[in-house]
Amino acid sequence: MRLLRLLPCSELSAVSGAALTPALTEAWPLACDSHRQNVEYMFGIVGIPVTEIAVAAQAAGIKYVGMRNEQAACYAASAVGYLTGRPGVCLVVSGPGFLHALAGMANATINCWPLIVIGGSSDRNQETMGAFQEFPQVEAGRLYNKLSVRPSSVEVIPAVIEKAVRTSIYGRPGSCYIDIPGDFVNLQVNKSSVKYVECCLPPPISMAEHSAVSKAASIIALSKQPLLIIGKGAAYSHAENNIRKMVDFCGLPFLPTPMAKGVVPDNHPNCVAAARSTALQHADVIILLGARLNWILHFGLPPRFQQDVKVIQIDICAEELGNNVRPAAILLGDINAVTKQLLEEFSKRSLKYPSNSEWWKRLRGKIKNNEERSKGLALQKSLPMNYYTVFHHIRELIPKDCILVSEGANTMDIGRTMLPNYYPRQRLDAGTFGTMGVGLGFAIAAAMVAKDRTPGKRVICIEGDSAFGFSGMEVETICRYNLPILIIVVNNNGIYTGLNANAWKEMLKFGDPATCVPPVSLLPNSHYEDIMSAFGGKGYFVKTPEELQNALKASLTDEQTPSLINVMIDPQSDRKKQEFPWLTRSNL
Ligand code: ADP
Ligand code: MG
């Protein structure tokens, strides 16, 4: 009878066993098995007891990227899920490795992105004895995951993996955790006792009730001030073609949420992002496509919205429908399918919103006004530069189809308004959870996916100096795998604001830095670019628009080498004045 070692990654593989060397095929026979879950990428950090799993994953044809912190590895794996619709895997060791990855699991689930985390855990026969890195991982995983399980035996691992992959992508996507005790990893089992499972079917596509579609069309037909809000659920569902048709056919003003930028190009004449507050505040009907009425959309409540705004809510998750605002129509289903249903209904009724309405005039007036204010700031010649000047030059030089990763406070907020997206799923940022520290992991994931699917596409990662610090050592990962990522650190010496070198020196005269340095401050003039050159990439330190332009040109021309441009800006540079304070509290 044949005995074999069953390693879980073999069940994840999408790749034919033909590529394997005979020796490896013999060592990990399941790598050649046909029961596969179409998983292509694994990120992690090896150690006891998971090192063999990473080696087996590579043998099975899964691409394994070794990272420097499990948190960044987990962010990377989750971004693969969003970008490809198939979960990436994060592989972590027991105890602390698992705990570091919790942030990534929470971020994925809160973003509604599929993810699989495989965690090694202490041997079963040492449980409760104070085993090395022992921790109740399955229990701890429950709060962060759609599914948190330990297979009951080695034989059922294929079935558990299929269930986890399926759960991560069916319904509202999210994270799933699989716990593998150390003693499983090298266990020998009888091949005939393994319960093989075929690759799960693609997610079923659900459509809205016909009556709800018809009701939605009637509400839109009567609207005087309609607004289409496009969320990242729409980007995830690949609904761009239908949504573009809808905008063109119906003439509706649209507003993307941060990661939905590019579902319809930002330079489309119906994009009202530059009049965001006005559009939200005065719309009488809102068609909400895959976006939650959470803090990002000010809960859908006054003062940011009309008290009696009619919301037509479209979402794949039934429990989401009606959150914070009672909708006028609810369309439960997949956005790509439901927008097709809506398009059919609109064309039957020739539903077209006039472009010369008072609403359009108001929105266009506001857009013009806001664009002029940003332009004024962008063209300022004074040094040190402000955010708007920096983004103006970046915008002029970066390719239209690059993937933009962005995080930081002002860096992300101002960058979002200044840097257009023209294609869907090409903007990754702090997301629903507002997580800082995701940038480098996301950039690594995007570069891995781009290398395989769209060779030559650039990944540009624009980071505040504080945001960069969370995962700065992943620059080594970027250089090790030779990923031609361009990192731009917009450096204001701090969190929100910082001090210049002179003010810093003066501050230190007051005594122990821990008692007098403002908590928002970071060391002035830090040479983050040296981190990149330390590992063989190219680093640039820039202070003027000309230096910035030259560094951008040089790093974009070199398609092989990772680079980092450290852009010094005015430590007191700020956003232009906003109509509403950030996180306006509802007055209801
Ligand atoms: P944003 O950050 O852009 O506002 P959210 O993450 O808040 O977006 O909302 C995304 C919504 O999209 C979630 O409520 C999720 O259930 C939904 N969603 C995800 N995939 C699909 C899909 N294929 N069809 C419909 N809705 C989806
Ligand atoms: Mg900063």
Side-chain angles (χ1 to χ4, degrees), residues 223-245:
S223 163
K224 298 261 177 306
Q225 313 204 133
L227 176 67
L228 184 66
I229 297 182
I230 308 170
K232 65 178 173 304
Y236 181 78
S237 78
H238 287 244
E240 52 269 15
N241 289 339
N242 288 340
I243 298 176
R244 286 175 191 192
K245 275 190 208 151

Side-chain angles (χ1 to χ4, degrees), residues 189-262:
V189 292
N190 186 334
K191 194 175 180 191
S192 61
S193 63
V194 175
K195 295 184 179 61
Y196 294 109
V197 182
E198 279 184 51
C199 180
C200 63
L201 293 167
I205 293 176
S206 48
M207 295 209 277
E209 276 174 276
H210 183 72
S211 59
V213 175
S214 157
K215 188 171 177 194
S218 303
I219 295 169
I220 298 164
L222 292 175
S223 163
K224 298 261 177 306
Q225 313 204 133
L227 176 67
L228 184 66
I229 297 182
I230 308 170
K232 65 178 173 304
Y236 181 78
S237 78
H238 287 244
E240 52 269 15
N241 289 339
N242 288 340
I243 298 176
R244 286 175 191 192
K245 275 190 208 151
M246 207 152 111
V247 168
D248 288 332
F249 182 82
C250 303
L252 294 168
F254 76 89
L255 184 70
T257 62
M259 270 196 261
K261 274 160 61 72

Side-chain angles (χ1 to χ4, degrees), residues 57 97 208 338 344 389 574 586:
V338 176
E344 280 160 14
T389 313
D574 206 353
S586 162

Side-chain angles (χ1 to χ4, degrees), residues 387 411 464-466 490-496 522:
Y387 283 105
T411 301
D465 51 336
S466 164
V490 183
N491 190 349
N492 67 346
N493 303 340
I495 305 169
Y496 307 118
L522 297 170

Side-chain angles (χ1 to χ4, degrees), residues 116-374:
I116 301 287
V117 179
I118 296 179
S121 55
S122 39
D123 289 4
R124 286 169 302 167
N125 63 1
Q126 293 176 354
E127 235 163 59
T128 73
M129 294 175 67
F132 173 65
Q133 299 184 333
E134 182 183 348
F135 194 75
Q137 296 173 191
V138 175
E139 291 91 318
R142 284 212 176 101
L143 204 52
Y144 307 82
N145 291 281
K146 288 178 82 177
L147 179 75
S148 183
V149 283
R150 170 188 288 186
S152 58
S153 69
V154 169
E155 286 82 354
V156 300
I157 287 178
V160 170
I161 288 184
E162 187 273 345
K163 183 175 167 93
V165 170
R166 181 161 43 84
T167 306
S168 78
I169 54 177
Y170 277 33
R172 171 182 271 175
S175 174
C176 292
Y177 173 66
I178 304 169
D179 196 67
I180 301 289
D183 54 305
F184 274 14
V185 176
N186 288 308
L187 210 65
Q188 300 227 315
V189 292
N190 186 334
K191 194 175 180 191
S192 61
S193 63
V194 175
K195 295 184 179 61
Y196 294 109
V197 182
E198 279 184 51
C199 180
C200 63
L201 293 167
I205 293 176
S206 48
M207 295 209 277
E209 276 174 276
H210 183 72
S211 59
V213 175
S214 157
K215 188 171 177 194
S218 303
I219 295 169
I220 298 164
L222 292 175
S223 163
K224 298 261 177 306
Q225 313 204 133
L227 176 67
L228 184 66
I229 297 182
I230 308 170
K232 65 178 173 304
Y236 181 78
S237 78
H238 287 244
E240 52 269 15
N241 289 339
N242 288 340
I243 298 176
R244 286 175 191 192
K245 275 190 208 151
M246 207 152 111
V247 168
D248 288 332
F249 182 82
C250 303
L252 294 168
F254 76 89
L255 184 70
T257 62
M259 270 196 261
K261 274 160 61 72
V263 168
V264 184
D266 279 339
N267 64 346
H268 190 288
N270 291 28
C271 178
V272 295
R276 184 177 186 275
S277 290
T278 304
L280 295 179
Q281 203 185 357
H282 300 287
D284 62 357
V285 169
I286 284 176
I287 307 152
L288 191 65
L289 291 175
R292 284 166 283 181
L293 291 176
N294 55 16
W295 66 278
I296 292 183
L297 286 170
H298 322 288
F299 312 106
L301 295 174
R304 306 298 305 263
F305 287 76
Q306 291 290 302
Q307 174 83 58
D308 56 354
V309 60
K310 292 192 171 66
V311 175
I312 296 165
Q313 194 172 6
I314 300 149
D315 206 289
I316 204 164
C317 172
E319 290 86 342
E320 186 59 39
L321 301 166
N323 272 346
N324 301 331
V325 172
R326 185 186 164 91
I330 49 178
L331 285 75
L332 175 64
D334 171 69
I335 292 184
N336 195 29
V338 176
T339 45
K340 191 152 178 276
Q341 289 179 287
L342 281 170
L343 264 173
E344 280 160 14
E345 189 69 26
F346 293 165
S347 61
K348 263 194 254 160
R349 301 179 184 217
S350 305
L351 204 153
K352 173 116 193 137
Y353 186 71
S355 61
N356 58 356
S357 63
E358 280 307 308
W359 181 225
W360 261 125
K361 273 185 213 147
R362 183 171 189 177
L363 292 170
R364 290 211 182 92
K366 192 74 194 174
I367 289 172
K368 200 157 162 257
N369 192 303
N370 272 344
E371 282 178 350
E372 272 161 16
R373 278 168 66 206
S374 301

Side-chain angles (χ1 to χ4, degrees), residues 17-28:
L20 304 179
T21 64
L24 287 174
T25 312
E26 199 44 46
W28 293 290

